[in-house]
Structures are given as C-alpha cells and as structure tokens.
Amino acid sequence: MNKINKDFLIFFIFLLMANLSFSATNDYTEGYFLKSLSIEFPGKISGLELSAINNFEEREKGLGIGLSYRSNGIKADVYIYNLGFNDITNGIDSELARMSFQRASMDIEALAKGKIYNKLRVLSDNEIKKIGNIYFLSKKYNYIEGGSQKESYLLLTCLKGNFIKIRLTYNIIADNDLNTVGENFLSDLSKILYDKNLNKGTEHAIDKN
C-alpha cells in the first residue's frame, strides 16, 4: 500500500472511530480484562461506571477496543488500538504518537464542521500533560452539543505497542465541579495504566536530560 492510500485509510479509520456509537449499556461491574495490555479495567473509576465496551477490531483490523465510563453529566471514552502498526514505542515523543494525535484532533474538527459540535473553541492547544507518571499529548475544547455547554479533553499516549486515546467530556453546570471529577478519573486511570504495565519509556524526553 502506498503512502497516500495508507494516510487516507488512517484518516478514514479515525473518522470511523469518532462516529461509531458505543453499544447498549450493560452490567460491567466486574470490569474488563484487556489481553493486549494485560490490564484489568475496573467496573468503576473515580465514580464513573464502565457502561459499554466495543470491539472495533471486529469492524476493522487495527481499531482495537473502546471502553466507555459514565456518570451524571460526565463521560470518558478510552480507546486502545494500533492501526496495524507494529513499531509503536512507549510515550509521546515518536512521530507515530504525534501523527495519531493530529488525526484525532482532525476528528473533532470534522464533527464541528458537521454541526454535531457547535461553537467549537480550543481552550488549550497541543500541550504536554503529565498525569501521574505518564505523559500525554493534550488538547482542551469547549463546545455546545445537544443544547448543553461542554468542556472536553483529548489525550493520547502510547503504551505497550498501542495508542491510548482518551476523550473526557463533561457538562458545564453551575455549582457542580465536574472538572474535579474528571481530573480524579484521569489520575486514577493513569495509575492503572502505569502500575499494571511497569512501563519503561513512558517518561517524556525532557525528563531524560
């Protein structure tokens, strides 16, 4: 496959992932074990319950798994996939990590152009966010969806031969600090990812100098 066709396929896959709905809510109180990372994702993280799991790999090889955590006014979707690449290195310093993050950003812009997200604004652009012991490429958005004002994080890192993409989105509601709930979720999820893998190479390049 030539580079142009491969780039098109990658972009198509990201758009597919962005628009696929999660399956109907089920009981996942026992959690979910993901063999590719050797991680047991618990049924609840920081008050958000695991409500849906989608095996995107069954639709298109390389799309991996999506896990959806939910609570009132807040959701976190975690995608673990490799897009068919076998040379994904840990951390955020590789060209593949940057390319994947850029594609994920384009997904969100495409949803805004399609009027699914209205009045999309970028609150923080192309930041490096350290959560626990893991560095993520990060972008924060504000937009209106379904009549509700929302803030949303896009985060991406690479672990154990996979991309880990997180979309954390919450309603902006007066006197309800869902941002803190979201930060707690990210902190606890990072501990799960790091502790279970004992990841070497997840540190950012600036920590190696």
Side-chain angles (χ1 to χ4, degrees), residues 128-139:
I128 295 171
K129 188 177 181 69
K130 186 178 183 182
I131 304 174
N133 291 305
I134 299 179
Y135 283 91
F136 293 85
L137 298 172
S138 173
K139 210 166 184 177

Side-chain angles (χ1 to χ4, degrees), residues 22 41 65-69 76-80 164-167 185 189:
F22 276 92
F41 286 90
I65 294 288
L67 300 96
S68 185
Y69 285 86
D77 297 325
V78 183
Y79 303 94
I80 302 101
I164 311 292
K165 184 180 78 170
I166 304 167
R167 281 294 308 276
F185 174 88
L189 176 62

Side-chain angles (χ1 to χ4, degrees), residues 2 6 22 25 30 44 73 80 84 120 126-127 141 144 150 164 168 171-172 178 184 193 195:
N2 62 43
K6 188 168 186 179
F22 276 92
T25 300
E30 297 298 319
K44 182 182 287 189
I80 302 101
L120 177 71
N126 296 328
E127 291 188 337
Y141 300 89
I144 297 173
K150 299 178 184 291
I164 311 292
L168 173 71
N171 295 336
I172 300 175
L178 291 176
N184 290 339
L193 293 172
D195 291 346

Side-chain angles (χ1 to χ4, degrees), residues 76-88:
D77 297 325
V78 183
Y79 303 94
I80 302 101
Y81 56 97
N82 62 28
L83 295 179
F85 291 105
N86 56 14
D87 55 348
I88 300 172

Side-chain angles (χ1 to χ4, degrees), residues 41-171:
F41 286 90
K44 182 182 287 189
I45 301 177
S46 301
L48 278 71
E49 295 182 353
L50 180 59
S51 61
I53 299 170
N54 253 344
N55 188 347
F56 297 122
E57 195 80 12
E58 293 177 349
R59 294 184 170 101
E60 185 73 35
K61 186 173 176 60
L63 285 183
I65 294 288
L67 300 96
S68 185
Y69 285 86
R70 296 285 190 272
S71 188
N72 290 334
I74 185 169
K75 62 180 180 179
D77 297 325
V78 183
Y79 303 94
I80 302 101
Y81 56 97
N82 62 28
L83 295 179
F85 291 105
N86 56 14
D87 55 348
I88 300 172
T89 57
N90 280 359
I92 60 173
D93 294 321
S94 69
E95 182 179 352
L96 276 178
R98 293 189 295 271
M99 178 272 296
S100 299
F101 185 72
Q102 182 181 9
R103 295 294 187 184
S105 300
M106 292 170 67
D107 291 345
I108 295 173
E109 294 169 8
L111 292 171
K113 290 178 180 177
K115 304 301 182 182
I116 295 173
Y117 298 160
N118 294 308
K119 297 183 178 180
L120 177 71
R121 292 189 300 125
V122 178
L123 301 181
S124 61
D125 193 9
N126 296 328
E127 291 188 337
I128 295 171
K129 188 177 181 69
K130 186 178 183 182
I131 304 174
N133 291 305
I134 299 179
Y135 283 91
F136 293 85
L137 298 172
S138 173
K139 210 166 184 177
K140 188 177 182 181
Y141 300 89
N142 180 289
Y143 55 84
I144 297 173
E145 182 185 16
S148 298
Q149 190 82 24
K150 299 178 184 291
E151 286 188 351
S152 183
Y153 282 99
L154 167 66
L155 302 116
L156 186 138
T157 193
C158 302
L159 293 174
K160 205 172 181 182
N162 287 275
F163 302 107
I164 311 292
K165 184 180 78 170
I166 304 167
R167 281 294 308 276
L168 173 71
T169 304
Y170 51 87
N171 295 336

Side-chain angles (χ1 to χ4, degrees), residues 11-30:
F11 184 51
F12 168 76
I13 288 173
F14 269 110
L15 286 177
L16 182 64
M17 289 179 68
N19 290 285
L20 281 172
S21 299
F22 276 92
S23 55
T25 300
N26 291 297
D27 183 7
Y28 295 110
T29 54
E30 297 298 319

